[in-house]
Amino acid sequence: MDVQDTHGWMTKYLNEVTDIFQKLPGSSILLRYIQSSYQNDPVRSGIELFLCLFAVRYLLARAYSPQKKSYVALSEEEIDELVEEWTPEPLVAPQDAFEEAENEKRPVIVGATGPRCKLSNGRTVTNLASYNFYNFVANETLKEKATQTLRTYGVGPCGPPGFYGTQDVHLKTEADIAAHIGAPACIVYAQAFSTISSVIPAFSKRGDIIVADRAANYAIRKGIQISRSTVRWYDHNDVEDMERVLARVVKEQAKKPLTRRFIVTEGLFEDVGDVVDLPKIIELKLRYKFRLVLDETWSFGVLGRTGRGLTEHQNVDAAEVDMIVGSLAGPLCAGGGFCVGSDEIVEHQRISAAAYTFSAALPAMLATTASETILMLQTTPDILVQSRENIKSMWTQLDPRSDWVVCTSAPENPMMLLVLKPEVVASKKLSIEDQEHIMQDVVDETLANGVLITRLKSMPRGGSTKETVWEPQPALKVCVTTGLTKKEIERAGITIRHAITKVMKQRK
């Protein structure tokens, strides 16, 4: 091919490229800009071309040089020496003498858990240490429904809810919970503990602000920790201190970029047993423009005429609470947890809540059980009436008659927490460790007399050195059930009271 043929081929090729380029939308505008720019200022055209090429090279270049070593080279002998010296940290702290003794004496239940259960040593005891408040465990209708669901759906869905794990029973349970509470929508999680610890970080991120009660349970604290939000604590169940903290947060953020702000509290506190003043909290959250996350893990199925929780108990519209989180385990004898709120809040969790997105869905058998127990609370509110009568019977045997302990739980709470009176702690100069030993001795003495109770066991709370860490007072935990008659409850209460008196008199 001579020079003339080459020139002709190149001219033809350039003409074809020009025709194709001119067919592109906006090509004529670009051509006019380049021509005018080159004629008026050719230097600028050269600089623009250089910058374009530099940007392309920068985007295609590696983030680091593969030849450059960013680590210290070690010999084989040095590597072996470091491996021999390395000692992994234990996954759990070693047990102390008190924990070892407790584990050796821990009772083991054989068979089903009920109001009266059989231990591995052959004894039958009155069980006041389980959350079987309404004796749903022994309900034959629930057993039959659970068995039918198990035969129809199998043991578990074996997949996350968003990936073939959702079944029709899950949708029915969500609809039943939303209708029962009076909320627009509901989402069901597979585990109660991970519900609140996933809901919080799904909405609150780094830079956002959370105002929380110092007595919040361990699951709430894990959710706050995962969110990496800025947290401001207020004194337990103190609305005046809460208002002070809210006002301070609003003042601090007045000249800063707008952030999301949340109030996080329990309805019925797990480590104290008392109830929050929900109307007052709603008033404060509206005044200071915060969102409210209410954990009703222990109040749903317990408070209210039909067990709807704190909103029914204190005559508050559920729509005034941004997010209500609850448990389907415990009082309902099922499993999993839930969060109710607006449609937007629920749908956001389906793609943002870690426990919903990455965990297998709730077994269909447990979803059906939850729906059935909610229906039973709605249709037979006498269950709740009987429960409160039994609670009252237990109260009359313990709180006013005992010289040593006082009950910190709300009068409607079937999980009664008994702590030593302040004057007893002061007169005997009891430390937290001393009180724990006393409570365990009472548990052992009560079991020896045929009544099974337990004591409050809370997880370590930690905290920064700048703040005072709130620690719950050691307490006895007595779970009242409708599976026992009033006379049986009274006898159990007398046994517990006598055990407390015996242990305290033996301690000098």
Side-chain angles (χ1 to χ4, degrees):
M1 181 181 294
D2 55 13
V3 177
Q4 186 175 2
D5 294 337
T6 303
H7 181 268
W9 179 82
M10 291 183 65
T11 302
K12 181 181 178 182
Y13 178 75
L14 290 174
N15 290 334
E16 292 178 355
V17 172
T18 302
D19 293 338
I20 295 173
F21 179 76
Q22 289 178 349
K23 293 179 181 179
L24 296 176
S27 58
S28 58
I29 300 175
L30 181 61
L31 284 175
R32 285 198 303 270
Y33 170 77
I34 294 175
Q35 291 174 356
S36 62
S37 173
Y38 178 76
Q39 292 173 358
N40 297 333
D41 191 355
V43 176
R44 188 181 72 174
S45 299
I47 294 175
E48 290 178 348
L49 178 61
F50 171 77
L51 292 175
C52 290
L53 296 176
F54 177 78
V56 172
R57 181 185 180 281
Y58 178 80
L59 293 174
L60 298 178
R62 292 178 179 270
Y64 61 91
S65 175
Q67 286 79 23
K68 185 178 180 180
K69 295 182 179 181
S70 58
Y71 57 88
V72 179
L74 299 175
S75 64
E76 292 294 332
E77 292 78 9
E78 291 174 326
I79 294 175
D80 294 338
E81 183 179 351
L82 289 174
V83 171
E84 291 177 0
E85 293 177 352
W86 179 72
T87 302
E89 293 185 3
L91 295 177
V92 294
Q95 292 183 347
D96 55 26
F98 176 64
E99 292 173 336
E100 290 179 355
E102 181 185 0
N103 288 334
E104 290 178 359
K105 295 183 292 185
R106 177 171 286 123
V108 178
I109 296 177
V110 178
T113 300
R116 284 168 290 273
C117 57
K118 186 176 181 180
L119 303 182
S120 57
N121 58 12
R123 294 184 58 197
T124 299
V125 296
T126 300
N127 184 8
L128 297 178
S130 73
Y131 302 133
N132 183 29
F133 301 144
Y134 309 119
N135 199 24
F136 284 150
V137 170
N139 189 284
E140 293 300 327
T141 302
L142 291 177
K143 291 181 181 179
E144 183 179 353
K145 289 279 187 179
T147 303
Q148 292 176 354
T149 306
L150 180 64
R151 290 172 177 170
T152 304
Y153 294 90
V155 176
C158 299
F163 193 74
Y164 305 116
T166 299
Q167 298 169 306
D168 55 350
V169 289
H170 297 126
L171 301 178
K172 181 180 183 301
T173 301
E174 291 178 348
D176 291 342
I177 296 171
H180 183 54
I181 295 179
C186 172
I187 180 173
V188 169
Y189 289 76
Q191 187 187 24
F193 179 90
S194 63
T195 303
I196 186 66
S197 59
S198 293
V199 170
I200 293 174
F203 293 93
S204 185
K205 309 295 183 181
R206 187 191 296 272
D208 297 332
I209 298 175
I210 294 176
V211 175
D213 193 298
R214 289 187 185 276
N217 60 44
Y218 187 67
I220 290 178
R221 290 177 175 267
K222 285 287 106 179
I224 293 174
Q225 180 185 8
I226 295 170
S227 72
R228 299 187 177 183
S229 302
T230 301
V231 59
R232 297 285 186 266
W233 302 100
Y234 63 90
D235 294 339
H236 170 60
N237 220 356
D238 188 343
V239 291
E240 293 182 358
D241 188 59
M242 176 184 179
E243 184 173 6
R244 180 187 61 82
V245 174
L246 294 176
R248 188 181 65 183
V249 169
V250 171
K251 183 177 179 180
E252 291 175 351
Q253 299 295 316
K255 297 182 180 180
K256 296 181 180 180
L258 185 63
T259 59
R260 288 167 291 208
R261 305 169 187 174
F262 299 89
I263 298 172
V264 180
T265 183
E266 292 183 77
L268 195 64
F269 284 89
E270 177 181 351
D271 293 336
V272 185
D274 54 352
V275 178
V276 299
D277 186 354
L278 186 57
K280 181 62 176 179
I281 292 178
I282 291 177
E283 176 188 340
L284 292 177
K285 79 112 176 175
L286 293 174
R287 182 188 307 170
Y288 293 99
K289 296 179 174 58
F290 276 69
R291 295 179 176 92
L292 175 59
V293 181
L294 180 64
D295 184 4
E296 293 216 62
T297 296
W298 298 105
S299 54
F300 180 74
V302 169
L303 299 181
R305 189 184 67 85
T306 59
R308 282 166 47 195
L310 189 60
T311 54
E312 183 181 33
H313 179 64
Q314 296 186 351
N315 297 319
V316 174
D317 186 359
E320 296 186 29
V321 183
D322 298 280
M323 283 165 269
I324 297 178
V325 178
S327 170
L328 300 176
L332 299 187
C333 290
F338 67 87
C339 177
V340 299
S342 64
D343 293 324
E344 294 79 10
I345 284 176
V346 167
E347 293 306 318
H348 176 76
Q349 294 177 62
R350 297 193 190 278
I351 58 174
S352 299
Y356 185 87
T357 307
F358 301 110
S359 297
L362 182 71
M365 177 178 62
L366 298 181
T368 300
T369 302
S371 293
E372 292 298 322
T373 52
I374 289 174
L375 179 62
M376 292 177 67
L377 292 177
Q378 291 174 334
T379 56
T380 55
D382 291 343
I383 298 175
L384 293 159
V385 175
Q386 182 184 354
S387 173
R388 286 159 192 166
E389 289 178 353
N390 284 1
I391 296 169
K392 186 177 180 180
S393 299
M394 182 64 76
W395 265 76
T396 57
Q397 297 300 325
L398 294 176
D399 194 348
R401 294 191 179 185
S402 176
D403 297 329
W404 309 101
V405 297
V406 62
C407 183
T408 61
S409 299
E412 303 84 6
N413 189 355
M415 185 173 63
M416 298 176 60
L417 299 180
L418 304 172
V419 301
L420 294 175
K421 293 181 177 180
E423 56 268 26
V424 174
V425 175
S427 63
K428 292 183 175 292
K429 299 179 180 179
L430 299 174
S431 64
I432 294 295
E433 185 177 353
D434 294 335
Q435 295 178 58
E436 288 179 347
H437 282 80
I438 290 173
M439 295 305 173
Q440 186 58 46
D441 291 341
V442 173
V443 170
D444 297 338
E445 178 64 24
T446 306
L447 180 60
N449 289 279
V451 178
L452 177 61
I453 63 173
T454 185
R455 62 184 179 88
L456 178 65
K457 300 176 183 178
S458 60
M459 298 295 292
R461 293 178 177 267
S464 65
T465 57
K466 297 181 180 179
E467 65 170 319
T468 302
V469 179
W470 185 90
E471 291 292 346
Q473 185 178 354
L476 295 173
K477 183 185 289 187
V478 180
C479 299
V480 182
T481 175
T482 59
L484 300 173
T485 64
K486 182 179 179 180
K487 292 291 184 182
E488 291 172 326
I489 291 291
E490 291 176 348
R491 284 198 298 268
I494 294 172
T495 301
I496 297 170
R497 188 177 77 246
H498 288 174
I500 295 171
T501 302
K502 180 179 179 179
V503 170
M504 293 304 299
K505 287 185 175 181
Q506 288 176 349
R507 186 178 184 88
K508 299 180 180 179

